[in-house]
Amino acid sequence: MFIETLFTEPIYFFRIIIIVIFSISLHELAHGWAAMSQGDNTPQKTGHLTLNPVVHMGKESIIFLCLMGIAWGQMPVNPSKFRSPKLGNILVSAAGPLSNLTLGIIFVLMLKLIANLSFSAFFSAEFLYLAARINLTLFLFNLLPIPPLDGFHVFSEIFPKLKPLENTYFGIFAMMLLFIIPEFGIGLSGIADLLMRLMFGGESVNF
């Protein structure tokens, strides 16, 4: 289990915890801000426009993150309040993954800054690399067209025939398969590494 990393690689363990909590909190906030821009004030009314990670993730998610390395978040929204239900649902759903993509790009740019200006004394290149990799992986994962992931809500608005899947066990079954197949996580991380190499102009950025 992931918790074993605390005893074998404590620095790595706490880096993962900090990065994931920060990234998921901003992911959920992005959903909330997008919902507000579409006319839904539910995030504000429920007190979810905050940086408090416990509000966005809940204690159970944070505990599960520490034990298993898996976490989730939530942002209450009311699609019926969107000015345009179809467009609003696409924009609000896409906002979360796009926030992770943005964070990934920012961390890669910070890595480039370190490489070009030798600021490594002030910043940890390993931490920035890990933060970029995690956020790009979260971006890719959340775009999968599987309920309840954001990608499903985006694609089901573009392809309405997918909508009935939301009320079936397909999502639960698919998610279980993804988590028990190690190659899946390795594959997503590999694609994230490829994106980072492309951002670095083809150079390797492993640390």
Side-chain angles (χ1 to χ4, degrees):
M1 291 196 301
F2 178 68
I3 188 64
E4 295 172 356
T5 311
L6 174 61
F7 307 103
T8 58
E9 299 178 84
I11 294 177
Y12 178 75
F13 175 86
F14 285 111
R15 281 177 173 172
I16 293 286
I17 298 299
I18 291 170
I19 293 168
V20 171
I21 289 177
F22 173 75
S23 302
I24 290 181
S25 296
L26 286 190
H27 176 110
E28 298 305 332
L29 271 175
H31 284 313
W33 290 329
M36 294 285 290
S37 74
Q38 295 304 303
D40 177 22
N41 64 346
T42 303
Q44 184 179 41
K45 288 177 62 178
T46 57
H48 276 71
L49 292 185
T50 173
L51 288 174
N52 186 347
V54 177
V55 172
H56 297 300
M57 299 176 64
K59 295 178 182 178
E60 297 83 359
S61 177
I62 294 174
I63 292 172
F64 207 73
L65 170 62
C66 295
L67 292 175
M68 305 295 295
I70 299 171
W72 59 89
Q74 60 177 353
M75 173 59 68
V77 299
N78 186 350
S80 66
K81 292 185 177 181
F82 296 160
R83 285 188 290 272
S84 171
K86 186 181 184 71
L87 178 61
N89 198 27
I90 291 175
L91 292 176
V92 173
S93 298
L98 289 177
S99 72
N100 294 124
L101 175 62
T102 301
L103 285 173
I105 292 172
I106 290 173
F107 287 125
V108 168
L109 291 176
M110 292 177 71
L111 273 173
K112 280 191 171 186
L113 185 65
I114 289 175
N116 294 334
L117 300 180
S118 300
F119 281 174
S120 56
F122 301 96
F123 299 97
S124 166
E126 292 85 356
F127 180 85
L128 294 176
Y129 167 77
L130 189 60
R133 194 170 190 247
I134 286 175
N135 272 282
L136 291 174
T137 302
L138 286 173
F139 164 69
L140 295 167
F141 176 74
N142 279 286
L143 280 184
L144 293 173
I146 300 172
L149 298 179
D150 299 319
F152 176 80
H153 295 290
V154 173
F155 286 107
S156 64
E157 291 294 344
I158 300 173
F159 306 103
K161 289 185 178 181
L162 293 175
K163 282 185 176 293
L165 291 176
E166 189 172 9
N167 301 317
T168 68
Y169 290 106
F170 167 76
I172 296 175
F173 180 70
M175 294 287 283
M176 287 176 63
L177 281 179
L178 295 181
F179 284 120
I180 64 176
I181 300 175
E183 290 77 14
F184 171 74
I186 295 172
L188 278 186
S189 296
I191 297 174
D193 285 334
L194 175 60
L195 290 175
M196 292 176 68
R197 284 198 297 272
L198 292 174
M199 293 179 196
F200 260 81
E203 300 177 18
S204 174
V205 290
N206 290 319
F207 290 93

